[in-house]
Amino acid sequence: MLCTTFADVFKLSWTIRMNNLTRERSLRMRGAAIFLIFLHNLLHLLNYVKENEFAYLPIRAEKMLASFSSLSSSIVGDFFSYLGWYGVPVFIFFSGYGLVMKHEQTVSEKGFGKQPRSLRIVPYLWRNFLKLFVLMAPCYLIYVLGTGQTLFSILTMSQLTMTINLLFPQMISPGVYWYFGLTLQLYIIYLAFFHFRSKRFLMIAALLMMALGVVFEFFFDKTTNIDLRHNSPVWLPVFLAGVWYAREKSIPGLALVKKHWGKALLLLIVLWVWSAVNAYLWTASPLLVLPIFAIICICCCEIPVASGRWAHAASNILSRCLTYLGSISAGLFVCHPIIRELALKGYHSGYNIVIVTLAYAIVCICVAHIYNYCYKKAMRFLLPKR
């Protein structure tokens, strides 16, 4: 029965238009990404297996492979610990995608036109800085006070101004908040790609930054790699993938992927996991994970009724869960480091890791829902629609 259902799904998959990233599909991808991220950021502190996010360490890849090959009892936690951070490239991709859709295309009665909106540099930078600051500052200040850090220090001020990635990248606390400084850098870099839009410029920049990542991985020490990867250069290929995707009307090979998405998904997962544990492919692994998220969050969430009632119902449930998580992803991202501190205390007090993780997830989602609502209200007041 199950095999038949999935076979039917594969046959009907050609009807799904994957190149149309609607708002709901985008939310699903963000929802899947934040689910990985907020579980990873707890479990990587509790598990024996650690991630290769800011530097490639062979011993960590070996531990992950050993866990999977032996079907360790902690295999689920090890999965989130080693691979959960790969939700981050999804948000970087959507940063580039969203900027193009907002600033390079105008909405008309016939849909999206090609006439770009004007972009005034100072208002653009101010609005984007304010969005990040208002999202981060309340939770960050609560974290600083709750952990006994000095409120008026150079570290605190550099975090609030989102310059800490450049100044003290390995002293960011909570470490999760490195993403705010990275995002601000990408917003600034986008100005160059707004004014110089040739595909050649975009591709050359992406390839150069990819090559830079490889050079630093193999010829520089761990500390230098960590410093570099807390900043924008090596993440630029993922960001520019979002820019490129938003500008393209048709993408070569997409029809074939749509028709055989089951096989494509399996192949991509194998390549992604291989790249995550292989030193020579590791730099490209954030790019490989993007189509996996797209296929899962589009094809698996849009199974038609003709495929079977149960498959369709499961698809709907998955779609609604991911869409909801995506809708509160900003709040979930900024709140979970604080709740993580409480979860760690619970774990070290002797509570079972499964219970701690479940309670952590529930509290994170509840708090994020409220925080996200307040954040949106604040932004409507501070930045009313023009």
Side-chain angles (χ1 to χ4, degrees), residues 1-16 258-263 303-304 306-308 311:
M1 175 72 72
L2 187 62
C3 293
T4 304
T5 300
F6 277 105
D8 291 337
V9 173
F10 293 160
K11 290 177 183 177
L12 291 166
S13 63
W14 62 272
T15 62
I16 299 171
K258 288 189 293 183
K259 189 175 182 179
H260 304 286
W261 69 263
K263 295 176 182 177
I303 297 177
S307 303

Side-chain angles (χ1 to χ4, degrees), residues 81-96:
S81 180
Y82 190 86
L83 297 170
W85 70 270
Y86 279 97
V88 173
V90 175
F91 287 98
I92 296 175
F93 170 86
F94 275 111
S95 293

Side-chain angles (χ1 to χ4, degrees), residues 33 120 165 175-176 338:
R120 294 183 297 164
N165 296 53
V176 180
I338 299 174

